Amino acid sequence: MASSKTVRKLQVASPVPADIDIANSVEPLHISEIAQELNLKPNHYDLYGKYKAKVLLSVLDELEGSADGYYVVVGEITRTPLGEGEITQYPLGEGKSTTTVGLCQALGAFLDKKVVTCLRQPLQGPTFGIRGGAAGGGYSQVIPMDEFNLHLTGDIHAITAANNLLAAAIDTRIFHEASQSDKALFNRLCPPNKEGERSFSNIMFRRLRKLGISKTKPEDLTPEEINRFARLDIDPASITWRRVMDVNDRFLRKITIGQGPEEKGMVRETGFDISVASEIMAVLALTTSLADTRERVGKMVIGNSKAGDPITADDLGVGGALTVLMKDAINPTLMQTLEGTPVLVHAGPFANIAHGNSSIVADKIALKLVGPGGIVVTEAGFGADIGAEKFMNIKCRYSVRALKMHGGGPQVVAGKPLDHAYLNENVALVEAGCVNLARHIANTKAYGVNVVVAVNMFATDSEAELNAVRIAAMAAGAFDAVVCSHHAHGGKGAVDLGIAVQRACENVTQPLKFLYPSDVSIKEKIDTIARSYGASGVEYSEEAEKQIKMYTRQGFSGLPFCMAKTQHSFSHNAPTGFILPIRDVRASIGAGFIYPLVGTISTMLGLPTRPCFYAIDGDTATGRVLGLS
């Protein structure tokens, strides 16, 4: 919110210093000041130190009848190595996080608009690995930058703990079922109390209802009902649930478990994913309340029985415990930008196999807090073909240098100097790359929304190149196209963008459209999304065909779809006119989507030869973090 109490005018330097140096040069306001400007009362949030607070969901109950503000999502064109931070000796700033923050600083600090930024929490693994942090860049950042990029308020740690508790429950249940009779298993699941009486725990009634058993006393079950209730009979080959950790460790991608002597030779091949790839993270991002979280985590499917029936977390009796581990993580974290505008940080689902957007609850809270005429700006992970498509079809259902690369410019390799083509004027190369931009504009306009193109300006960009992008964007149907310098100048460098976005919000002429209806078949949904990429058709592997039949039989075909594919092109490997290969189809039933796999997607990242942690250290005198990028 714009106010003399909170808005801070930046003193910018040229050349732009390192991100961490900029972040450390600004003393954040006490988070209670940011909360006060949003009309949040002390009972609406819990303090986490001086600069962070957890906003409680009870705020939504109090503001239920109030009107919402405008809703803006920031996407991007197809990613380049520079946009992913792989070449750390060059300033980044072409990514959507920097644009999102810069736009909000312009709206709040210069245009006197009520504004809230809604961002995902970064992965800790890549922060120490190849990408560095994700707090924005230059003079458009979230602060404290080190806290934003590291533990924050522990949400990812809570997800890690919950995910691995479920993993342990799966293997433990298989182990005990393999060595016990139905009677012994049932007696241990429902042990007698001191008076010798047996009872079902509350969570067990969920499984009883699923089985169609209405009895309420253990002693009333028949032997056949005891067998159905107590024996999940999990098929180890069908298990999709893997352990997670928030560290890039390629050697955990494939492991074997159960090699101890007490496990009696029950060896199983499995592996680790990065924590944000957990379905529990996707649940956090898509949930609407604690009660909804409880239902979603209970419905998470971890595999099938040998009879082909889906096995859920509630079948394992662990849904309630998972919810308890997530009870604080469900609350968004309030932070601030360099210029004192408010930020809500919440969730960080993997953008390839999940929907890659920050949480619904954070956006809902923000929309109520800014009110009519105010603006909430959020971002969608990876290119618009991935993040924006999933934002529209999943979440809403419940730069010049990059363009040169898309125009066929020389390959960019991590750690090597940029080719001269990216440092000198080449209008033809920019114009060729605008084909990628035009496709993203057309796809996004299909949802019935106005598209504003932010052209992130670098010192090496010429006026002719910038004009070429603007002309191409407007020809492709953009509402406006604006040159920005928010990386170098903060909100001041995005004022024109802020004005264009405000105009776009005020000139919406049609309701949001979805790409596909919910009630069509699985293959119809996949085909529709594939054709939006430019594909001429879809090819299914034998395994994909098998999974489609199974999910249709199990009643999951009505869910939205989350295509798991590379972020480096619209397709798996071609620009247009290709056949999209679907090698497998998997499901996140608790989160509420099915995800087809296009090509190979790694869910556990690896460390490069020289990880980012080489540069990270702490000043032992001041306690400040050094070297984050």
Side-chain angles (χ1 to χ4, degrees):
M1 289 211 170
S3 161
S4 59
K5 295 179 183 177
T6 61
V7 170
R8 177 191 300 107
K9 294 297 186 283
L10 298 174
Q11 299 296 318
V12 302
S14 182
V16 179
D19 289 350
I20 189 65
D21 293 335
I22 294 173
N24 285 340
S25 71
V26 175
E27 180 65 26
L29 297 160
H30 195 285
I31 200 64
S32 61
E33 294 185 53
I34 304 294
Q36 186 176 4
E37 288 300 307
L38 285 173
N39 295 320
L40 288 169
K41 302 171 186 175
N43 63 306
H44 289 155
Y45 59 89
D46 291 334
L47 291 173
Y48 276 66
K50 295 187 291 184
Y51 307 129
K52 306 187 297 292
K54 279 284 196 179
V55 179
L56 307 179
L57 297 195
S58 57
V59 173
L60 280 175
D61 296 330
E62 291 190 24
L63 298 176
E64 185 178 3
S66 59
D68 292 335
Y70 293 120
Y71 198 19
V72 175
V73 59
V74 177
E76 62 186 1
I77 61 174
T78 302
R79 282 199 159 193
T80 68
L82 284 175
E84 294 180 347
E86 293 178 3
I87 302 181
T88 55
Q89 65 263 44
Y90 298 104
L92 302 182
E94 43 179 70
K96 65 194 169 304
S97 297
T98 305
T99 299
T100 301
V101 175
L103 170 60
C104 290
Q105 290 181 166
L107 289 167
F110 290 88
L111 297 174
D112 200 33
K113 298 296 294 182
K114 296 179 179 179
V115 63
V116 173
T117 313
C118 289
L119 295 176
R120 290 182 296 165
Q121 182 179 348
L123 296 73
Q124 185 172 279
T127 297
F128 290 110
I130 195 169
R131 186 190 67 195
Y139 287 99
S140 295
Q141 293 189 60
V142 178
I143 55 174
M145 183 256 229
D146 56 338
E147 296 182 28
F148 178 86
N149 284 309
L150 299 176
H151 302 287
L152 199 60
T153 49
D155 292 356
I156 293 181
H157 301 319
I159 288 163
T160 302
N163 183 100
N164 293 342
L165 174 61
L166 180 51
I170 295 166
D171 291 302
T172 295
R173 187 58 171 263
I174 295 172
F175 171 79
H176 288 301
E177 286 192 22
S179 59
Q180 298 180 48
S181 66
D182 289 353
K183 183 177 180 180
L185 190 63
F186 183 69
N187 287 342
R188 287 183 171 90
L189 288 171
C190 303
N193 58 21
K194 293 180 180 179
E195 288 74 34
E197 297 177 349
R198 299 181 184 275
S199 63
F200 293 117
S201 63
N202 287 335
I203 197 170
M204 290 178 175
F205 286 108
R206 292 176 178 250
R207 176 155 178 81
L208 289 167
R209 286 195 297 270
K210 176 180 176 179
L211 297 173
I213 299 173
S214 58
K215 298 172 182 177
T216 59
K217 296 180 179 181
E219 60 267 24
D220 292 341
L221 267 62
T222 66
E224 186 271 336
E225 289 171 335
I226 287 174
N227 172 272
R228 293 172 59 214
F229 169 78
R231 196 164 295 280
L232 301 183
D233 201 26
I234 299 170
D235 178 4
S238 74
I239 296 173
T240 55
W241 199 265
R242 289 156 58 97
R243 289 158 173 83
V244 301
M245 64 188 306
D246 196 20
V247 173
N248 291 4
D249 192 342
R250 66 177 72 243
F251 287 94
L252 292 178
R253 288 171 177 169
K254 184 175 286 189
I255 64 170
T256 55
I257 60 173
Q259 298 192 55
E262 291 82 6
E263 281 64 61
K264 302 174 183 176
M266 295 185 65
V267 175
R268 182 170 72 85
E269 188 178 276
T270 180
F272 272 77
D273 297 330
I274 195 81
S275 292
V276 296
S278 170
E279 184 179 348
I280 298 178
M281 174 63 88
V283 166
L284 180 67
L286 292 170
T287 192
T288 56
S289 66
L290 187 60
D292 182 53
T293 300
R294 173 65 188 87
E295 293 305 310
R296 287 176 179 269
V297 298
K299 291 177 181 177
M300 293 188 304
V301 173
I302 58 88
N304 297 324
S305 70
K306 291 174 183 175
D309 298 319
I311 303 296
T312 68
D314 273 347
D315 287 327
L316 287 156
V318 73
L322 302 181
T323 306
V324 169
L325 286 172
M326 296 296 296
K327 69 179 182 65
D328 294 324
I330 195 174
N331 299 313
T333 301
L334 180 64
M335 297 187 74
Q336 62 191 283
T337 68
L338 284 168
E339 296 186 80
T341 59
V343 180
L344 284 177
V345 184
H346 202 212
F350 209 63
N352 291 109
I353 66 165
H355 63 297
N357 289 268
S358 62
S359 77
I360 287 176
V361 293
D363 290 0
K364 287 177 66 177
I365 290 171
L367 286 165
K368 296 296 183 186
L369 291 175
V370 299
I375 299 176
V376 172
V377 184
T378 188
E379 63 174 14
F382 290 152
D385 56 315
I386 297 180
E389 183 268 310
K390 295 172 182 179
F391 175 90
M392 302 295 182
N393 290 306
I394 298 177
K395 186 175 181 181
C396 290
R397 199 178 295 258
Y398 326 79
S399 87
V400 169
R401 196 158 60 187
L403 289 167
K404 286 184 178 179
M405 295 180 197
H406 294 305
Q411 183 181 6
V412 173
V413 181
K416 293 185 178 181
L418 283 174
D419 189 277
H420 68 88
Y422 302 123
L423 303 175
N424 298 285
E425 182 176 284
N426 193 328
V427 175
L429 196 56
V430 171
E431 290 175 337
C434 283
V435 173
N436 183 272
L437 171 63
R439 184 81 197 204
H440 284 294
I441 292 172
N443 281 3
T444 307
K445 279 175 61 66
Y447 298 106
V449 300
N450 291 329
V451 177
V452 176
V453 175
V455 186
N456 294 338
M457 181 174 65
F458 289 82
T460 54
D461 299 334
S462 73
E463 189 69 26
E465 290 175 328
L466 295 169
N467 284 336
V469 179
R470 289 197 73 256
I471 291 169
M474 298 304 291
F479 181 87
D480 204 347
V482 182
V483 176
C484 317
S485 60
H486 43 274
H487 181 272
H489 303 112
K492 184 178 180 181
V495 168
D496 289 344
L497 176 63
I499 293 170
V501 167
Q502 184 176 341
R503 286 179 50 244
C505 289
E506 294 168 349
N507 285 276
V508 175
T509 59
Q510 54 187 317
L512 179 69
K513 303 173 184 176
F514 295 122
L515 194 61
Y516 52 81
S518 296
D519 56 359
V520 299
S521 71
I522 288 177
K523 284 192 173 181
E524 285 177 287
K525 291 174 183 175
I526 294 174
D527 184 73
T528 300
I529 298 172
R531 292 186 185 279
S532 77
Y533 300 153
S536 58
V538 181
E539 182 178 79
Y540 297 92
S541 70
E542 184 178 339
E543 180 62 25
E545 293 278 11
K546 175 184 172 184
Q547 292 297 104
I548 289 171
K549 289 179 182 177
M550 182 185 71
Y551 290 136
T552 301
R553 177 179 62 81
Q554 292 176 342
F556 299 139
S557 61
L559 295 173
F561 272 62
C562 185
M563 299 291 272
K565 75 176 190 71
T566 179
Q567 66 270 29
H568 296 297
S569 72
F570 276 106
S571 75
H572 59 301
N573 63 7
T576 187
F578 50 89
I579 300 295
L580 195 72
I582 305 297
R583 68 176 180 88
D584 199 359
V585 179
R586 299 177 186 172
S588 292
I589 302 304
F593 56 78
I594 292 177
Y595 59 101
L597 275 65
V598 182
T600 302
I601 300 294
S602 176
T603 52
M604 170 53 82
L605 310 179
L607 292 173
T609 305
R610 189 189 186 282
C612 293
F613 61 62
Y614 271 88
I616 297 173
D617 209 333
D619 185 325
T620 57
T622 65
R624 279 188 166 179
V625 174
L626 307 173
L628 275 177
S629 61

